[in-house]
Amino acid sequence: MQKLDLLKWICNPFQDPLPTGMSTKASEELIDLSEDSSQKNSFNRKPLTKFWLSVAGSYPCLFDEAMKVLLPFTTSYLCEAGFSNMVSIKTKYQNKLDLSNSLRLKVTKVEVDVKTVMAKHRKQFHPSH
């Protein structure tokens, strides 16, 4: 629990007291950030990740420290979501399906009009055959 207390500054860099155990440069940047009223307003308006991305240029050491904690959650989430979709596609009855195309459809954020795609790629059958 003590380690989590040391990382609370990532969720709210404007809290008191300031954490211990970080580099001197990062501590100085955190003090500067916590006294910046325009950044505090920005923090209140933006989601946490967007806030940290917005301060990357002004507070690079602090940004790097925050990303070391925040980044693994987003990357592991995408991995877990992909694995869950793969499991739902590869069932006992569908294990011979080509997984790559189906998985790509499951994890993409792009809206796909499946009917239009199917219509374009459907083989044309001629009555004479």
Side-chain angles (χ1 to χ4, degrees):
M1 186 70 171
Q2 185 178 3
K3 186 167 181 143
L4 290 176
D5 289 336
L6 295 176
L7 299 175
K8 284 184 178 179
W9 65 269
I10 295 170
C11 294
N12 185 359
F14 302 96
Q15 70 180 0
D16 287 324
L18 294 174
T20 58
M22 60 176 30
S23 71
T24 305
K25 179 69 175 158
S27 294
E28 290 172 358
E29 287 183 2
L30 184 56
I31 291 168
D32 291 342
L33 175 63
S34 65
E35 294 174 352
D36 188 337
S37 59
S38 66
Q39 291 295 352
K40 187 170 187 173
N41 288 335
S42 175
F43 175 78
N44 291 330
R45 288 190 321 267
K46 294 180 181 178
L48 187 62
T49 52
K50 289 189 188 274
F51 169 76
W52 282 111
L53 289 171
S54 72
V55 300
S58 305
Y59 306 99
C61 291
L62 206 53
F63 170 77
D64 289 342
E65 293 294 321
M67 286 300 107
K68 287 177 188 174
V69 174
L70 294 174
L71 193 57
F73 293 112
T74 57
T75 56
S76 65
Y77 165 77
L78 293 174
C79 181
E80 290 292 328
F83 184 75
S84 294
N85 285 314
M86 181 197 70
V87 168
S88 71
I89 294 168
K90 289 292 244 187
T91 63
K92 182 169 115 176
Y93 302 106
Q94 298 175 333
N95 63 359
K96 294 191 186 319
L97 289 176
D98 179 27
L99 182 65
S100 62
N101 292 332
S102 299
L103 188 58
R104 188 174 295 126
L105 278 174
K106 282 280 203 178
V107 298
T108 187
K109 293 185 192 257
V110 176
E111 293 292 324
V112 179
D113 185 1
V114 177
K115 289 181 182 180
T116 304
V117 172
M118 293 296 291
K120 286 182 180 179
H121 295 296
R122 181 174 288 150
K123 292 182 180 179
Q124 298 296 322
F125 292 103
H126 297 285
S128 62
H129 294 284

